[in-house]
């Protein structure tokens, strides 16, 4: 296990392989267990294994304590809820660690909760009677209005009828005898009519009216008035829209029915008197009591706020303490109890380098808890695969996240993250080459980086959070895109002769801007990147396409070669010569004899300026390898070389496919035999070797399965060599799309607006240009280039060597994330 | 019989079916029940449930807990899930989901009416009602004196109104009447639901027919057993059986004349699906019948999940959740009353 990393000549590369991990066993005396776990949590370098997984949560040793913590957490949530309702903010946690006793906290929390609940109950009672009075007042006002208006209209009607009566007493008696009768009946019955007043929720008012009507067979008269502002309902304490109603009825049976219905609808009834004088008196009485109650309630609220303030001062401290304790007890529950019940046995993973720190923490815990016996620390040997742990910093962590999102590296497997740090932003920049846009992104990310401390402490939105997490990746991406932008010579799609004047000039006046014919070379070749004279000419696109396409293939082939070389390092590290001879070498030969050869041809063509058609060369290398090349010949003996390469490629395919499964089978048989006859003390050793050797241990060896697996692998590689190379052409495509888009925005928006010679149009043009640049180019294009770079790494690069079936080291630590509990 | 549901079902039903299948994964498993059965007190149950979907509903409950709180919160979760699905649903699924509620509505109506008959407080009764079966004017039921009033005052506005057409009498309400009313309503409800499912067609109708037929047959058996020794005449008894199901029509003829439990058994054993249920019980025993029926129902409900593109999963899921809450209630009661030996008597395991 203790393999030296990096090798003798180079400094150790932490990120290349996972930290060496060990399975440690801690035997901790009962009395110091709590403190030990607490110190280990501060250290944050041990991942405890659950040794009681077969036990249900409440059967474990510390279930009672966890319940206590849960109860305390509930109280704390209650306080938080109450504080946010009263708009009291908890004080920021200032002192880092002050020692408070959990029991004290529990007692204190209990007392405060009881006090708060009592105050709340009192307040609720007061509030309820206050609300009732408010409703009563409303009823008095609205019903009073109704009565007075009814009275007015009634008297007016009465007068009208009386005057009419006197005029046409004679004929009316014949025409409407019923009316007459009614009038006389009315006056006698009016006395018996009872009425009820109250409030009913508005959404139920229609149903209420309907049911009343049905229940009394229409023998009621109901009047409702809308209250404009919402009223606070006394029983629920929530705001509700209500109507004031007044119901007239006759008879006791109707009354009892109406009362029942009122009750069923949650309609609050209030007494009311017909007498106007009494009404006024009641209104003043109610108003007086309202103002009295108001002061009492205010005093109660003040008292409550003071209490909440005192809670708020300690709130964060308690919250942290309780969560810490809960985490500790959860961890303690994972430890198994020794038979003697005097000590706890813990097992867990830890990095080898942390051994001293862990032992130190154990010792401190033993001393601090006045334990007579110290804890025992020992390293266990195991066949289990340990977790993968890379020590990252704030710069590398984001990159590592990108790799981990695909799959966590197998333990001690080569980590593609090391190369991703550079290749990822580079491939991004190939697709996003514009130094103007690069500077914009650089400024944005510099803002994030410079205000890092401030932004890290506060909660950001979803998208902002992502940008902030990847700020160093974005920084690298922007730097690289400035670099490639300089090579492409594009600044918001405009070329600048930054390093020297263009090497070409017009021979005479006849050459126009749209063509390169007639240009002659007057100076040395442009020293860095693309000559600005290409821009805007008719041959710009063919030239750039050919350049970028070939460059993409070169980049792709080299990155894929790197991936295969990584598989060599893996094979060497895990000491698997089979993988070197029958995987690494044939893969190398296959890829390079086809696409490596293509790359060489590209470079030769660039250097010699030959007119040969590379498509033709590549295609006829397969179709008719013996034909003469003719004018497509780039170097002498090319045909022979091609025949040899083709032969090598064809031979390497069966080399990949056939030997490995047979060798594995043989090895398995040999090991199996060796094991059954080996002396006992050696088995342990051989087991140990097996785990480091990365082979499958005692698993069933299924030859057909291995063979099919190898078959799939081989086919995937052979087909993948073609399709992956083609896939790298996306570098060209996206970079083309980017430069075309930005030149469209520049020419068709900015220059067009400029041509109108109108300030207003110009301003609109500039605005559109800015929004298009930011929205489409800086945001959308960045995202798409990012995704394509991601794909090139995950698929084309990592499938050459990366297994990614490990699991991450998740140590027990107290660094809680803010929203863990929610 | 099969249309091309697979082609079009997901346009409206796909999201909800995904939701309901996700919910199904949250149902408590046998392992959960085994753990729950080992609990020492209600706090243990709460702790165990905190790892399940009920966690967030129980976490703010102060101890000491009561069984009613646990059941209430679990039911609340069920209602929230149901409402979530209902407000996402379009026709005809929303109607289908509504149908699931009607059974609870009937139970609630009966509960309130019986309660008022015995002069219980309306608020107290309302708390006992199943929240799925609530409707606006439910509290007004207390006003009614007889069936006609009941119908005319309150129920005419509810979806139950059409089911009342068969039991409109002016008789005053009494226990017997109410029980007959419940069964008549249920009969009408099941028949209506059955027809609705037939109308939807496809896999829904096929699976729902099976489930509803089982429900109807179970009710028929229960009616028969409960009416033995009462003054209900044979004709009246037969009127309460739903007009579909495996027992219809010949089984009903025979059930109607049964005089004791063994005769019922004799009738039922002629039907192969029910033979297994009755063969588990010894003669003369009816205690275990409920559990046996529940187990059979759960088995059938679980099978509903085996097919895709139909609405019966929603019905099955709601029923399973109700069974789950019944299980939790039983376990909690046993734990609270220290009757742990009886804990397995009534728990129906699913999945």
């Amino acid at each position: 296990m203790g393999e030296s990393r990096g090798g003798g000549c180079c400094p150790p590369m932490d990120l290349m392989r996972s930290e060496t991990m060990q399975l440690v066993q801690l035997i901790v005396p009962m009395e110091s267990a709590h403190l030990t776990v607490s110190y280990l949590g501060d250290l944050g370098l041990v991942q405890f294994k659950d040794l009681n997984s077969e036990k249900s949560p409440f059967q474990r040793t510390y279930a009672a304590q966890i319940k206590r913590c849960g109860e305390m957490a509930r109280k704390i949530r209650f306080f938080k809820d109450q504080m946010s309702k009263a708009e009291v903010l908890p004080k920021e946690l200032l002192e880092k660690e002050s020692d408070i006793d959990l029991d004290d906290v529990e007692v204190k929390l209990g007392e405060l909760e009881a006090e708060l609940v009592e105050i709340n109950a009192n307040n609720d009672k007061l509030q309820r009677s206050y609300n009732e009075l408010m409703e009563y007042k409303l009823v008095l006002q609205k019903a009073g209005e109704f009565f007075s208006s009814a009275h007015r209209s009634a008297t007016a009607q009465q007068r009208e009828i009386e005057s009419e009566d006197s005029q046409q007493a004679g004929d009316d008696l014949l025409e409407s005898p019923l009316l007459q009768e009614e009038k006389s009946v009315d006056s006698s019955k009016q006395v018996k009519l009872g009425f009820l007043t109250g409030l009913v929720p508005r959404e139920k008012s229609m149903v209420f009216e309907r049911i009343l009507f049905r229940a009394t067979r229409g023998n009621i008269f109901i009047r409702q008035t809308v209250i404009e502002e919402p009223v606070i309902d006394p029983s629920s304490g929530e705001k509700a829209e209500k109507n004031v109603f007044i119901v007239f009825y006759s008879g006791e049976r109707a009354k009892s029915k109406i009362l029942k219905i009122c009750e069923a609808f949650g309609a609050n009834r209030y007494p009311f008197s017909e007498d106007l004088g009494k009404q006024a008196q009641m209104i003043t009485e109610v108003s007086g009591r309202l103002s009295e109650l108001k002061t009492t309630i205010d005093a109660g609220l003040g008292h409550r706020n003071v209490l909440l303030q005192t809670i708020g001062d300690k709130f964060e401290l308690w919250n942290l303490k309780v969560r810490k304790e809960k985490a500790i007890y959860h961890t303690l529950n994972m430890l198994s109890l020794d038979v003697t019940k005097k000590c706890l046995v813990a097992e867990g993973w830890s990095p080898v380098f942390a051994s001293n720190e862990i032992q130190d923490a154990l010792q401190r815990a033993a001393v601090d808890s006045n334990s007579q016996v110290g804890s025992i620390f020992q390293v266990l040997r195991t066949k289990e695969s340990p977790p993968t742990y890379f020590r990252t910093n704030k710069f590398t962590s984001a990159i590592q996240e990108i790799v981990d999102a695909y799959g966590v590296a197998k333990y001690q497997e080569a980590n593609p993250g090391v190369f991703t740090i550079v290749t990822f932003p580079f491939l991004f920049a190939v697709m996003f080459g514009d130094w103007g846009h690069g500077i914009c992104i650089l400024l944005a990310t510099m803002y994030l980086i410079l205000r890092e401390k401030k932004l890290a402490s506060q909660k950001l939105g979803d998208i902002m959070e992502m940008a902030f997490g990847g700020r160093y990746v974005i920084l690298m991406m922007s730097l690289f895109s400035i670099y490639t932008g300089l090579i492409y010579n594009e600044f918001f799609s405009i070329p600048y002769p930054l390093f020297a004047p263009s090497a070409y000039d017009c021979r005479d006046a006849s050459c126009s801007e749209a063509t390169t014919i007639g240009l002659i070379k007057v100076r040395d070749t442009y020293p860095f990147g693309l000559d600005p004279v290409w821009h805007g000419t008719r041959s710009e696109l063919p030239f750039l396409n050919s350049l970028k396409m070939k460059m993409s293939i070169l980049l792709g082939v080299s990155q894929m070669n790197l991936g295969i070389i990584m598989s060599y390092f893996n094979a060497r590290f895990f000491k698997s010569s089979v993988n070197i001879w029958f995987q690494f070498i044939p893969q190398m030969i296959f890829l390079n004899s086809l696409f490596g050869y293509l790359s060489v041809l590209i470079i030769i063509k660039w250097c010699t300026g030959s007119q040969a058609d590379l498509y033709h060369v590549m295609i006829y290398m397969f179709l008719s390898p013996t034909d003469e090349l003719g004018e497509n010949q780039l170097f002498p003996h090319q045909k022979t070389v091609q025949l040899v390469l083709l032969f090598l490629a064809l031979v390497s395919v069966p080399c990949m496919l056939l030997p490995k499964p047979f060798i594995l089978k043989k090895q398995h048989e040999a090991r199996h035999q060796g094991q059954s006859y080996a002396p006992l003390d050696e088995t342990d050793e051989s087991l140990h070797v097996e785990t480091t050797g990365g082979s499958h241990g005692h698993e069933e060896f299924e030859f057909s399965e291995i063979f099919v697996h190898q078959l799939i692998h081989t086919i995937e590689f052979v087909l993948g060599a073609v399709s992956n190379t083609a896939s790298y052409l996306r570098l060209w495509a996206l970079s083309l799309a980017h430069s075309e888009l930005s030149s469209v925005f520049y020419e068709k928006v900015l220059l067009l607006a400029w041509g109108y010679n109108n300030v207003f149009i110009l301003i609109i043009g500039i605005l559109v240009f800015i929004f298009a640049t930011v929205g489409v180019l800086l945001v959308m294009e960045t995202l798409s280039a990012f995704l394509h770079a991601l794909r090139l790494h995950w698929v084309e690069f990592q499938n050459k060597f990366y297994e990614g079936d490990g699991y991450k080291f998740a140590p027990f630590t107290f660094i809680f994330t803010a929203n863990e509990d929610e | 019989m099969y249309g091309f549901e697979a082609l079009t079902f997901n346009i409206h039903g796909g999201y909800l079916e995904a939701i309901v299948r996700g919910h199904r994964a949250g149902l408590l498993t046998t392992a959960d029940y085994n753990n729950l059965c080992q609990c020492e007190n209600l706090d243990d149950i709460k702790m165990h449930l905190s790892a399940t979907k009920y966690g967030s509903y129980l976490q703010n409950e102060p101890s000491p807990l009561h069984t009613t709180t646990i059941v209430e919160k679990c039911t609340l979760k069920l209602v929230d899930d149901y409402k979530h699905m209902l407000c996402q649903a379009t026709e005809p699924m929303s109607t289908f989901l509504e149908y699931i509620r009607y059974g609870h509505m009937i139970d609630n109506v009966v509960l309130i009416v019986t309660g008022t008959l015995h002069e219980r407080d309306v608020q107290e009764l309302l708390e006992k009602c199943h929240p799925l079966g609530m409707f606006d004017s439910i509290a007004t039921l207390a006003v009614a004196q007889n069936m006609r009033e009941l119908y005319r005052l309150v129920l005419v506005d509810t979806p139950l109104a059409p089911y009342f057409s068969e039991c409109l009498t002016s008789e005053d309400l009494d226990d017997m009447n109410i029980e007959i009313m419940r069964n008549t309503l249920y009969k009408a409800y099941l028949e209506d639901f059955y027809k609705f499912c037939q109308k939807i067609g496809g896999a829904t109708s096929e699976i729902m027919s099976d489930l509803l037929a089982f429900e109807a047959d179970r009710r028929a058996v229960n009616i028969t057993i409960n009416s033995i020794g009462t003054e209900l005449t044979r004709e009246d008894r037969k009127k309460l059986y739903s007009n579909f199901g495996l027992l219809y029509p010949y089984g009903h003829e025979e059930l109607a004349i049964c005089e004791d439990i063994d005769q019922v058994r004799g009738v039922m054993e002629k039907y192969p699906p029910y033979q297994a249920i009755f063969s588990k019980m010894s003669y003369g025993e009816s205690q275990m019948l409920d559990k046996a029926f529940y187990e059979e129902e759960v088995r059938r409900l679980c099978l509903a999940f085996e097919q895709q593109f139909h609405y019966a999963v929603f019905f099955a899921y709601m029923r399973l959740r109700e069974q789950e809450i019944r299980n939790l209630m039983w376990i909690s009661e046993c734990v609270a009353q220290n009757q742990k030996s009886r804990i397995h008597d009534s728990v129906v395991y699913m999945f």
Side-chain angles (χ1 to χ4, degrees), chain A residues 603-618:
Chain A
I603 292 171
I604 291 176
K605 192 180 165 185
W606 274 349
C607 294
T608 58
S610 151
Q611 299 273 321
D613 181 2
L614 294 187
Y615 298 114
H616 193 270
V617 175
M618 282 311 286

Side-chain angles (χ1 to χ4, degrees), chain A residues 561-711:
Chain A
N561 268 317
L562 176 66
I564 300 176
I565 291 171
M566 296 288 283
S567 80
Y568 164 71
F569 281 113
N570 268 345
R572 208 182 65 168
F573 185 83
F574 292 118
K575 299 204 181 63
S576 154
S577 52
V578 186
N579 280 353
I580 296 180
W581 289 106
F582 300 109
Q583 195 155 320
F584 164 66
I585 289 180
Q587 284 187 354
M588 249 347 227
I589 291 174
F590 183 81
L591 184 70
N592 285 315
S593 59
L594 302 180
F595 294 101
Y597 173 62
L598 175 64
S599 308
V600 170
L601 289 183
I602 288 172
I603 292 171
I604 291 176
K605 192 180 165 185
W606 274 349
C607 294
T608 58
S610 151
Q611 299 273 321
D613 181 2
L614 294 187
Y615 298 114
H616 193 270
V617 175
M618 282 311 286
I619 290 169
Y620 282 91
M621 177 172 162
F622 292 97
L623 292 184
S624 48
T626 49
D627 280 8
E628 282 304 321
L629 285 157
E631 59 181 11
N632 286 328
Q633 181 149 357
L634 279 157
F635 55 91
H637 307 296
Q638 190 175 355
K639 200 177 96 184
T640 332
V641 172
Q642 282 186 3
L643 279 173
V644 171
L645 287 176
L646 196 60
F647 174 73
L648 281 176
L650 289 180
V651 166
S652 63
V653 175
C655 283
M656 267 183 261
L657 174 64
L658 294 173
K660 194 179 162 189
F662 289 103
I663 291 175
L664 281 181
K665 188 182 180 196
K666 214 170 178 186
Q667 274 179 353
H668 176 77
E669 274 162 7
R671 186 163 54 231
H672 204 67
Q673 257 178 350
Q675 246 170 29
S676 51
Y677 292 109
L680 268 175
D681 53 312
E682 265 182 38
T683 45
D684 196 33
E685 192 61 37
S686 70
L687 287 182
H688 182 58
V689 170
E690 261 172 33
T691 53
T692 54
S695 64
H696 298 287
H698 284 296
E699 277 169 37
E700 285 289 308
F701 188 86
E702 193 76 50
F703 179 73
S704 58
E705 208 168 281
I706 300 272
F707 191 82
V708 169
H709 186 77
Q710 188 66 22
L711 184 71

Side-chain angles (χ1 to χ4, degrees), chain A residues 77-95:
Chain A
R77 275 198 302 274
F78 173 66
F79 289 151
K80 192 176 180 188
D81 189 41
Q82 292 289 321
M83 285 196 310
S84 66
K85 263 188 198 161
E87 290 169 358
V88 176
L89 286 176
K91 221 158 71 183
E92 292 278 320
L93 191 58
L94 293 176
E95 62 269 58

